[in-house]
């Protein structure tokens, strides 16, 4: 990933640094602007999704825009935390909670039959053998394909947005960001 452009003296910290080393400062600024727009869209999607979830929980009794605004303010307040050093235990707890949920979900799926009634009610999927296809399944129209595509783009965008930081931290450890 680092294309042998990384060094101890001049570490790569973002995709803009790779563009700078390969194509110059205009490429660096272009990549940084495009990545900023991508991050803005990711944050917008997260705010809208969480606002929609809150709206569904409240059964529409609170204005959707107000709920989105609540999430935006909550994110801005939590984003003001300057150091997470004292909250390291929370990160470890989140990881172990995810592992626990993975184990519980696997055990429940292994010991339980599928909920055919819910599948029939939500997706018109009858009880029986399920066929796996390489393309879109039969009966899935353009809207379903666009939803699947957007999910793939959103997932890849999140991964590409933050993976560079994780790789940089794993390379330089405690010295990363401390000049």
């Amino acid at each position: 990933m680092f294309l042998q452009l990384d060094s101890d003296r001049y570490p790569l910290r973002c995709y803009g640094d790779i563009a700078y080393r390969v194509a110059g400062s205009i490429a660096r600024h272009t990549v940084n602007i495009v990545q900023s727009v991508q991050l803005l869209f990711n944050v917008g999607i997260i705010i809208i999704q969480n606002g929609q979830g809150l709206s569904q929980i409240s059964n529409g009794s609170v204005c959707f825009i107000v709920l989105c605004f609540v999430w935006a303010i909550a994110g801005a307040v939590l984003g003001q935390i300057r150091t997470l050093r004292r909250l390291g235990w929370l990160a470890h707890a989140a990881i172990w909670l995810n592992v626990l949920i993975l184990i519980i979900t696997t055990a429940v799926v292994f010991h339980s039959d599928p909920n055919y009634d819910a599948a029939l009610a939500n997706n018109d999927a009858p009880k029986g053998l399920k066929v796996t296809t390489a393309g879109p399944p039969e009966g899935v129209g353009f809207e379903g394909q666009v939803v699947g595509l957007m999910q793939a783009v959103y997932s890849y965008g999140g991964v590409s947005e933050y993976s560079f930081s994780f790789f940089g931290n794993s390379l330089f450890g405690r010295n990363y960001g401390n000049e």
Side-chain angles (χ1 to χ4, degrees):
M1 174 174 200
F2 292 109
L3 307 171
Q4 296 181 351
L5 297 173
D6 202 22
S7 70
D8 291 334
R9 187 170 181 184
Y10 302 107
L12 294 177
R13 295 196 179 118
C14 63
Y15 289 110
D17 290 345
I18 292 177
Y20 175 70
R21 305 238 172 105
V22 172
S25 63
I26 293 175
R28 169 192 250 169
H29 296 310
T30 303
V31 167
N32 286 339
I33 289 169
V34 169
Q35 195 171 16
S36 299
V37 169
Q38 180 186 12
L39 183 61
L40 178 70
F41 285 163
N42 283 347
V43 169
I45 288 171
I46 290 169
I47 290 172
I48 290 171
Q49 284 178 340
N50 288 332
Q52 183 180 9
L54 271 181
S55 178
Q56 289 173 351
I57 289 171
S58 68
N59 292 325
S61 62
V62 182
C63 178
F64 175 74
I65 301 298
V66 170
L67 295 174
C68 289
F69 186 70
V70 165
W71 275 108
I73 295 298
V77 168
L78 291 175
Q80 298 303 314
I81 299 173
R82 300 291 288 172
T83 179
L84 299 176
R85 187 168 292 160
R86 287 175 275 156
L87 300 176
W89 63 271
L90 187 61
H92 287 98
I95 290 170
W96 287 110
L97 184 63
N98 280 329
V99 171
L100 180 67
I101 289 171
L102 176 79
I103 292 169
I104 290 172
T105 304
T106 304
V108 168
V109 167
F110 181 74
H111 289 292
S112 302
D113 289 332
N115 189 350
Y116 291 110
D117 296 332
L120 182 63
N122 288 333
N123 302 318
D124 295 327
K127 183 176 182 177
L129 182 64
K130 298 298 170 209
V131 178
T132 304
T133 63
E138 274 187 51
V140 174
F142 180 71
E143 180 182 340
Q145 293 178 27
V146 169
V147 168
L149 177 66
M150 293 306 293
Q151 182 63 38
V153 168
Y154 180 54
S155 299
Y156 179 75
V159 168
S160 66
E161 185 75 33
Y162 301 109
S163 63
F164 201 95
S165 302
F166 296 138
F167 286 129
N169 280 330
S170 67
L171 279 177
F172 296 104
R174 295 185 186 272
N175 295 330
Y176 188 74
N178 296 329
E179 280 90 38

